[in-house]
Amino acid sequence: MISLDMKANTPIYEQIIEQIKFHVLKGHLKPGDPIPSVRKMALELNITPGTVAKSYQELERQHIIETIRGKGTFIASKIELNPDEAKVMECKKILRSTILELKVMGITCEQIVDMVQELYKEMSVC
């Protein structure tokens, strides 16, 4: 379910977060579905348990997953899609930099908008 790119600039814990969110948005993971324990996930991905724990802590903070003591970790029964203003600002900064790079390469506004729409549709539930 999760594959890591060890050569990517994105930290491993962020790759885990992103992929779990993606699977939730696509409906592959539904509320109440179990996800592997920290240890099991670390073994499957051949990484340290601390990295997985960091991912899980952030996903819990964002109310994407919930841990029930003695039972395991699950996709949250009610996922709240509330924007985190700090995260929104961080994403805007990344978008600004990406748009600048695209403009320097000669990509038009319309092409950039088309790219964004295409990527947004990829994230939508089918």
Side-chain angles (χ1 to χ4, degrees), residues 1-4 12-30 33-37 41 45 51-52 54-60 62-66 73-76 79:
M1 173 173 56
I2 292 180
S3 59
L4 301 174
I12 293 170
Y13 83 96
E14 287 182 9
Q15 291 181 47
I16 294 169
I17 292 168
E18 184 177 296
Q19 289 186 44
I20 289 177
K21 286 180 176 181
F22 175 80
H23 287 295
V24 168
L25 283 174
K26 289 299 252 181
H28 303 149
L29 290 172
K30 295 177 177 30
D33 283 353
I35 60 173
S37 69
M41 178 77 80
L45 299 175
T51 302
V52 177
K54 186 173 182 178
S55 300
Y56 281 19
Q57 287 169 354
E58 181 59 23
L59 287 164
E60 276 199 85
Q62 294 179 22
H63 306 288
I64 304 295
I65 66 171
E66 55 193 3
T73 305
F74 304 87
I75 301 301
I79 297 174

Side-chain angles (χ1 to χ4, degrees), residues 38-43 46-56:
V38 168
R39 270 194 197 149
K40 186 173 181 182
M41 178 77 80
L43 283 172
N46 199 27
I47 58 175
T48 66
T51 302
V52 177
K54 186 173 182 178
S55 300
Y56 281 19

